[in-house]
Amino acid sequence: MSFTSLKELIELANQEKTTISELMIKTEVHQTGYPREIIIKKMSEQFTVMEEAVRRGTLSPVMSRTGLTGGDGNRLYQYAKEGNSFINPITLNAAANAFAVSEVNAAMGRIVATPTAGSAGILPAVLVHALDSGKFTREQIVRSIFTASALGLVIANKASISGAAGGCQAEVGSATAMAAGTLVELAGGTPMQVGNAIGIALKNSLGLVCDPVAGLVEIPCIIRNGLHAITAQAAADMALAGVASVIPADEVIHVMHEVGQQMPESLRETGIGGLAGTPTGKKLKKQILSKKTSGCGPAKYQSAYEIIGPVMVGPSSSHTAGAVRIGNIARQLLNETPLYVNFSLMGSFAETYQGHGTDLALLSGVLGLSTMDEGIPNAKKIAEENSLQYEFTKRVLGSYHPNTVLVELTGASRTVKVLASSLGGGKVEVQEFDDYPLKFSGERPTLVIRHTDRTGFIAELSRFLYQNGFNIARMANERSKINGAAITVCEIDNKIEATLSSLLKKEIPIIDEIVLVQTN
């Protein structure tokens, strides 16, 4: 089950006389098979990472990897202590919290994408602010994150959470709406009030462009996170006071998607238009890139952790976390130690890969690093130590998501080609494998099977998996010609043991190779 309508979500909560967070927890238990305690424990660990980022950036200055930004979280936190601010000093701390997380992200520290790295300051800011108020327990805060994930699922499934696809409204706007709705439920508001908070918050973000200076998740991203943390709190209070969103939240989400589609490419994460295109923006881009700091189909979202996550080393969930996963999938498909790789980038990947650290992320994935590995900033040094040669080129790859890359990876005995897109929030989708149009995400255990095309193969494979207790989530098959070479991709819900491959090859002799792919 994945949430695609706020109206249905609200009606279901009212019908079952429960909260949205409880619906999300039950859904997660059903989908994963894990007990409730494990599901909540994992979310508690996510919140710990959020809180650590807030404390790190408010209690001491944190500078970005480029040196372009930093220290504002601590600066604002100290200013609020003086008590001379125009707005309530306690409220100002929410903005300081958001600055802090965004600055930790820009420093390539560990954060949680909520739902993306570019908007990762907003939800942690208001939740840690709520915890510090003393009105709510840590357990209540952790449970409320499931509310945020359910709301994020609706937005992601109805529209987009990717700046490259929908502008900053899809990232900061979505996070603001998620945070506002979460605060309402945390405060005891009704499901209908949650919906109103989302509508109010998102309407205030419509048309927000994605114009990162030098392609970095710094200017204006950090400031927007701080201001929108306060916006989320204000929207929550409005809804709790009885203010309604005259335009239903589902319709506002639909409009956000339409507006995003109408935005020119220059205002969708490419680092070309908007603030990035100002004389100062261009000057900063030239200044930053001259330092060579880089040396250091729509997706469907189902799980809470596709929205609250991944835990990652920044600065961008699309350009860093997603890129790591793409590189890692390519490495697994090569199935041997990589010696050479060529990355062909298109769209916003091509325009901003140095500023976003996409080059470091792709290399890290190919080297076998995870999204939360602190070695990501040193990927080029690690590549040199492992004798991995690499190249980056720009080219048009087709009508795919703007964050798309072709990875051509060579080992001692073989070469593989993987065309994949980073869809937002760290979620990825392989579009082609060795020129076969095969789509899969790598989120579930995935069998990639090379075999000879033969009548009845799919039936035999399905029967074998069924008899061994495996549930097929998605399957795709492509062949070069009748009775020729073929590849079948099979995504499985269950955990797969290493012995399965040998058993399957013994059962179906026309199988040449089985590779198990799964991202973390």
Side-chain angles (χ1 to χ4, degrees), residues 50 56 62 125 179 231 240-241 254 323 385 394 402 439:
M50 296 180 196
R56 178 184 168 189
V62 175
T231 296
L240 288 167
H254 179 73
E385 292 170 350
K394 300 179 182 181
K439 293 181 181 290

Side-chain angles (χ1 to χ4, degrees), residues 433-450:
F433 173 45
D434 282 354
D435 297 321
Y436 288 86
L438 293 162
K439 293 181 181 290
F440 64 95
S441 67
E443 291 164 2
R444 304 180 185 90
T446 302
L447 296 171
V448 180
I449 305 170
R450 294 183 186 269

